């Protein structure tokens, strides 16, 4: 017997967006892999972090003890789930590295490719 929800999700995996428009994964292509039993598995292709120079700086934030990326994203970007934009704008592979060191200067940037800001050099 086939699970109707599983069948629906597989049938719509390539036709409906799996991620919200403000997700870092929204514009990524999907691909399919066949499991050993032949079941198709849809997945999102790998996302590469864009170079920080593609982001215009709006301002800087000096990290304080206890800072967290989600609260900084809420404060500076208006949405705690946009913490990934802080990672991209600062070229971070590991999000925790951005707030590990008090005194570190973080760039608060516009989205990739949007011109403007002050383009402060760190």
């Amino acid at each position: 017997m086939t699970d109707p929800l599983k069948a629906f999700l597989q049938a719509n995996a390539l036709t409906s967006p799996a991620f919200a428009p403000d997700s870092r994964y929204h514009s990524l292509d999907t691909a399919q892999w066949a499991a050993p039993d032949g079941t198709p598995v849809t997945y999102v292709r790998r996302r590469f972090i864009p170079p920080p120079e593609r982001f215009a700086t709006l301002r800087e934030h000096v990290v304080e003890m206890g800072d967290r990326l989600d609260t900084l994203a809420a404060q500076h970007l208006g949405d705690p789930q946009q913490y990934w934009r802080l990672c991209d704008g600062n070229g971070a592979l590991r999000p925790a590295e951005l707030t590990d060191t008090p005194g570190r200067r973080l760039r608060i940037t516009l989205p990739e490719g949007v011109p403007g800001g002050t383009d402060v050099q760190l």
Side-chain angles (χ1 to χ4, degrees):
M1 183 168 149
T2 304
D3 177 358
L5 178 59
K6 184 177 178 181
F8 173 80
L9 291 173
Q10 287 179 346
N12 291 293
L14 295 176
T15 58
S16 38
F19 301 99
D22 60 351
S23 168
R24 68 183 126 180
Y25 302 113
H26 177 71
S27 62
L28 294 180
D29 292 331
T30 58
Q32 282 198 340
W33 170 77
D37 67 356
T39 304
V41 177
T42 302
Y43 64 94
V44 177
R45 292 191 183 268
R46 187 173 182 178
R47 178 182 183 270
F48 293 95
I49 297 175
E53 56 271 10
R54 291 189 187 171
F55 300 88
T57 303
L58 289 173
R59 61 185 154 297
E60 292 181 342
H61 173 84
V62 178
V63 173
E64 297 176 4
M65 184 66 76
D67 274 350
R68 295 186 352 217
L69 282 184
D70 60 338
T71 56
L72 293 176
Q75 177 185 348
H76 294 287
L77 305 174
D79 182 352
Q81 293 187 17
Q82 294 296 301
Y83 73 90
W84 61 271
R85 287 184 42 205
L86 298 174
C87 296
D88 283 2
N90 289 278
L93 292 174
R94 291 185 325 100
E97 75 187 44
L98 294 178
T99 55
D100 279 349
T101 308
R104 178 181 175 152
R105 300 172 79 78
L106 296 182
R107 294 173 60 217
I108 310 301
T109 65
L110 290 168
E112 181 182 10
V114 175
T118 60
D119 290 325
V120 175
Q121 297 297 314
L122 298 180

